[in-house]
Amino acid sequence: MKIAVMGAGAIGSLFGGLLSNSGEDVTLVGRPEHMATINNNGLKIDGVSGEHIIKVKTTSNAGDLDKVDLILLTVKAYDVDKAVREINSIVGTNTLVLCLQNGLGIVEIVSNTIKEKQIIRGTTTNGALFIEPGHIKHTGKGDTIIGRMGGEVDSRLEEIKAVFDKAGFPTTISTTMNEILWNKLLINISINPFGALTNLPNGQLRELFANSMKIVISEAIEVAKNVGIELDLNTAIDKTFTVQFNTKNNRNSMLQDVERKKKTEIDFINGIVVKYGKIVKVPTPLNSLLTSLIHGLEQSYMS
Amino acid sequence: MKIAVMGAGAIGSLFGGLLSNSGEDVTLVGRPEHMATINNNGLKIDGVSGEHIIKVKTTSNAGDLDKVDLILLTVKAYDVDKAVREINSIVGTNTLVLCLQNGLGIVEIVSNTIKEKQIIRGTTTNGALFIEPGHIKHTGKGDTIIGRMGGEVDSRLEEIKAVFDKAGFPTTISTTMNEILWNKLLINISINPFGALTNLPNGQLRELFANSMKIVISEAIEVAKNVGIELDLNTAIDKTFTVQFNTKNNRNSMLQDVERKKKTEIDFINGIVVKYGKIVKVPTPLNSLLTSLIHGLEQSYMS
């Protein structure tokens, strides 16, 4: 399969590298220094999938790409808009775009430019860490789920699943992608900003925030209900507490962004609950406060 | 007047120093290094009230004090409990204790040990900065209000007012101290945690948090109503926005505590709204979230 990875950071390089390693025709699109190092020395991947030095094509300019079968869109959520405009010229009639971002609202952005039937949504629990230019660590094996927002399944999805499975990413095709994304969102909204604002690992959040987390999740479930998604409060609360316990020493990705004084994905996590809430007229005061607090923090270190 | 200042940090040393300078018999009780430097070189006060080197008695042990007419209690809110137990032995039948802390709930703590009729509550907008041991800067002149929680006025309050006025602290006696403290609280709850959590000066908060601030104040006003204090929402919102504008470059005191990795007074600011809210069964979800977020931050740097 001819594949381009748009946004070859940690997770993009991991997928692109192992897909290339298993025989696919992959080109990575990423930052010049990372791409140049891979060109010169190959892409080093170590960690849970063993140690590999992988030869893979690279470019820093999406415009240089040929038409491909699949574009793996792995830029940060807030860069999707820009990335989609950059890849637009190389999206052919048969090209599929697989969006692997955290959060909600991604397909809405992509579909401004790309036809909805060419968009696939995905989510993965594989962990990857950017060690240095040319070097990625696969920190945890996980599951990958792909599907169309409308739930349709066809042979193209099966082909992607086969290619991913072969490369070492066990993949499931889902007909309820929207519900899967909402369920994942409920976990992210009840962990990420709490850790990011307090500088605490996941395991220390529950004792401080159990009540606030329940309200944050309740607000989102009420919003989801009004956009046609039924979710269960108790299941979601059990799930987030289980995830917090199982990852108790982890500093969540939003906290890591704050520590590195980088922009966060808050607008696609708690912020999207606020945005949808306004549309369906469901109040979301706690999600709104958390979103603004993270915006304030970003303002303090980015301006 | 025979006066002891219990907790001679910045504001306590300012009051104690200028009261001594105007002829009162003052003893400061504070940290050993600060007290020793004052003993050796006098207390240096500079800033808006001119430059002074003031000879004033000191001790680090409240038990060494003689019985006094007035104890100025200027420890941090969270140290009031401990401080009151330390001064208990030197509180005579005629001793008054004037509590100058930020926030609410102070007199409740003091009255566990001291008779209510001997407790005076005060609030001041004088600004003071601890420069180094032995040296305080008077950063801003302000108003001081004193009164009893029950509203009673007598000659003892008039005497304190006269002594404060003479020392350069223009003072008003109030018969509605509780309402004054609540109104001040509404400003603190809508500024302090927002700045402390985002690392932003007062002037940058309104644009991010106007809605959340309104809810935070509304929750407190509903709690106040249920404990018998009527406050007006629009007045309070105008007031906090005015204060934020007039102090736009200031980093609030809670943010300064966070920057210095010190315990904050959150339990007596947003936390007291939550505490009273539980008692009168008024929900306070935003004040509760802000309180827990500050507790989380404290946990991250104090444990």
Side-chain angles (χ1 to χ4, degrees):
Chain A
M1 191 179 286
K2 202 163 176 171
I3 302 172
V5 177
M6 181 65 192
I11 201 78
S13 301
L14 173 69
F15 270 77
L18 295 187
L19 283 163
S20 174
N21 201 43
S22 80
E24 311 306 327
D25 176 5
V26 177
T27 306
L28 304 181
V29 187
R31 297 229 169 112
E33 199 185 355
H34 185 41
M35 297 300 102
T37 310
I38 294 171
N39 260 347
N40 293 334
N41 310 329
L43 169 63
K44 179 175 176 182
I45 296 180
D46 53 15
V48 291
S49 49
E51 191 161 329
H52 311 267
I53 304 285
I54 300 161
K55 290 204 71 161
V56 53
K57 288 181 282 184
T58 69
T59 177
S60 290
N61 181 3
D64 294 345
L65 290 170
D66 293 328
K67 296 242 186 313
V68 295
D69 303 307
L70 175 67
I71 297 174
L72 225 65
L73 193 66
T74 51
V75 296
K76 291 274 190 181
Y78 49 78
D79 278 335
V80 164
D81 188 35
K82 181 163 163 273
V84 169
R85 280 181 273 119
E86 283 173 23
I87 59 172
N88 193 25
S89 64
I90 58 123
V91 173
T93 329
N94 292 314
T95 306
L96 294 177
V97 178
L98 170 54
C99 310
L100 271 180
Q101 289 68 30
N102 282 326
L104 275 190
I106 304 298
V107 172
E108 287 168 44
I109 297 171
V110 178
S111 65
N112 287 334
T113 309
I114 314 284
K115 291 199 181 77
E116 197 126 2
K117 66 174 184 179
Q118 290 178 262
I119 305 171
I120 300 172
R121 190 67 168 96
T123 167
T124 185
T125 54
N126 277 280
L129 198 64
F130 189 94
I131 303 292
E132 61 187 337
H135 181 191
I136 298 300
K137 183 172 182 179
H138 191 180
T139 53
K141 288 198 181 190
D143 299 313
T144 301
I145 305 174
I146 60 174
R148 288 205 173 76
M149 294 307 278
E152 311 87 344
V153 179
D154 63 18
S155 63
R156 299 292 303 281
L157 274 178
E158 305 282 0
E159 284 165 32
I160 296 172
K161 170 184 159 49
V163 161
F164 278 22
D165 282 343
K166 186 178 158 217
F169 302 108
T171 297
T172 310
I173 297 173
S174 170
T175 57
T176 58
M177 203 63 214
N178 207 6
E179 204 174 308
I180 284 169
L181 292 174
W182 269 100
N183 273 310
K184 195 171 175 187
L185 187 77
L186 297 183
I187 295 170
N188 283 326
I189 61 174
S190 58
I191 296 180
N192 293 25
F194 294 95
L197 289 163
T198 58
N199 197 26
L200 291 174
N202 296 352
Q204 291 184 44
L205 301 176
R206 177 180 181 167
E207 195 180 334
L208 283 160
F209 297 112
N211 281 325
S212 295
M213 286 171 176
K214 284 177 195 172
I215 302 176
V216 163
I217 292 173
S218 301
E219 288 177 3
I221 287 181
E222 188 61 26
V223 170
K225 195 172 146 190
N226 278 270
V227 299
I229 309 280
E230 290 287 339
L231 303 164
D232 182 64
L233 179 62
N234 289 327
T235 308
I237 289 167
D238 285 351
K239 188 70 196 290
T240 190
F241 288 156
T242 303
V243 169
Q244 288 170 43
F245 181 79
N246 289 341
T247 62
K248 57 174 181 271
N249 296 319
N250 285 17
R251 302 170 72 76
N252 77 63
S253 59
M254 194 176 286
L255 170 52
Q256 292 181 39
D257 287 338
V258 168
E259 290 181 299
R260 293 172 193 148
K261 300 188 187 302
K262 284 174 60 182
K263 190 169 163 68
T264 74
E265 295 186 305
I266 190 71
D267 287 339
F268 301 86
I269 311 285
N270 303 75
I272 201 81
V273 175
V274 177
K275 186 181 167 189
Y276 290 168
K278 277 182 188 153
I279 296 170
V280 298
K281 302 203 192 315
V282 170
T284 57
L286 264 70
N287 280 287
S288 178
L289 171 55
L290 290 166
T291 302
S292 299
L293 285 168
I294 296 291
H295 283 158
L297 257 187
E298 289 174 341
Q299 189 170 312
S300 79
Y301 58 66
M302 293 181 71
S303 59
Chain B
M1 192 179 285
K2 204 163 174 170
I3 302 171
V5 177
M6 182 65 191
I11 200 79
S13 301
L14 174 69
F15 270 77
L18 294 187
L19 283 163
S20 174
N21 202 43
S22 80
E24 310 307 326
D25 176 5
V26 176
T27 306
L28 304 181
V29 188
R31 298 227 170 112
E33 200 186 354
H34 185 40
M35 297 299 102
T37 311
I38 293 172
N39 260 348
N40 293 333
N41 310 329
L43 169 63
K44 179 174 175 182
I45 297 180
D46 53 15
V48 291
S49 48
E51 192 161 330
H52 310 267
I53 304 287
I54 299 162
K55 291 203 72 160
V56 53
K57 289 182 281 185
T58 69
T59 177
S60 289
N61 180 3
D64 294 345
L65 290 170
D66 294 329
K67 296 244 188 307
V68 295
D69 302 308
L70 176 67
I71 297 174
L72 224 65
L73 192 67
T74 50
V75 296
K76 291 273 190 183
Y78 48 77
D79 278 334
V80 164
D81 189 35
K82 182 164 162 276
V84 169
R85 281 181 272 119
E86 283 172 25
I87 59 171
N88 193 26
S89 64
I90 57 124
V91 173
T93 329
N94 292 313
T95 305
L96 293 177
V97 178
L98 170 54
C99 311
L100 271 179
Q101 287 69 30
N102 282 325
L104 275 189
I106 304 297
V107 171
E108 287 169 44
I109 297 171
V110 178
S111 64
N112 287 333
T113 310
I114 315 284
K115 291 199 182 77
E116 197 124 4
K117 65 174 184 179
Q118 290 178 263
I119 305 171
I120 300 172
R121 189 66 167 93
T123 167
T124 184
T125 55
N126 277 280
L129 198 62
F130 188 93
I131 303 293
E132 60 187 339
H135 181 190
I136 298 301
K137 183 172 182 178
H138 190 180
T139 53
K141 289 198 180 188
D143 298 314
T144 300
I145 305 174
I146 60 173
R148 289 204 172 76
M149 294 307 278
E152 312 87 345
V153 180
D154 62 18
S155 62
R156 300 291 305 278
L157 274 179
E158 303 283 1
E159 285 165 32
I160 295 171
K161 171 185 158 51
V163 161
F164 278 23
D165 282 343
K166 185 177 159 219
F169 301 109
T171 297
T172 309
I173 297 173
S174 171
T175 57
T176 58
M177 203 62 211
N178 207 6
E179 205 174 308
I180 285 169
L181 293 173
W182 268 99
N183 273 311
K184 197 171 175 187
L185 187 77
L186 297 184
I187 295 170
N188 283 326
I189 61 174
S190 58
I191 296 180
N192 291 26
F194 294 95
L197 288 163
T198 58
N199 196 27
L200 291 174
N202 296 353
Q204 291 184 43
L205 301 176
R206 177 180 180 167
E207 196 180 334
L208 284 159
F209 297 112
N211 281 325
S212 295
M213 287 171 175
K214 284 177 197 172
I215 302 175
V216 164
I217 292 174
S218 301
E219 289 178 2
I221 287 181
E222 189 61 25
V223 170
K225 195 172 146 188
N226 279 269
V227 299
I229 309 280
E230 290 287 339
L231 303 164
D232 182 65
L233 179 62
N234 289 327
T235 309
I237 289 167
D238 285 352
K239 189 71 197 291
T240 191
F241 288 156
T242 303
V243 170
Q244 288 169 44
F245 182 79
N246 290 340
T247 61
K248 58 175 180 272
N249 296 319
N250 285 17
R251 302 169 72 75
N252 78 63
S253 59
M254 193 175 287
L255 170 52
Q256 292 181 38
D257 287 339
V258 168
E259 290 181 301
R260 293 172 194 148
K261 300 188 187 301
K262 284 173 59 181
K263 190 170 162 69
T264 74
E265 295 185 305
I266 190 72
D267 287 339
F268 300 86
I269 312 285
N270 303 75
I272 201 82
V273 175
V274 177
K275 187 181 167 190
Y276 290 167
K278 276 181 189 154
I279 295 170
V280 297
K281 303 205 193 311
V282 170
T284 57
L286 263 69
N287 280 286
S288 177
L289 171 55
L290 290 166
T291 302
S292 300
L293 285 168
I294 296 290
H295 283 159
L297 257 187
E298 290 175 339
Q299 189 171 312
S300 78
Y301 59 65
M302 292 181 72
S303 59

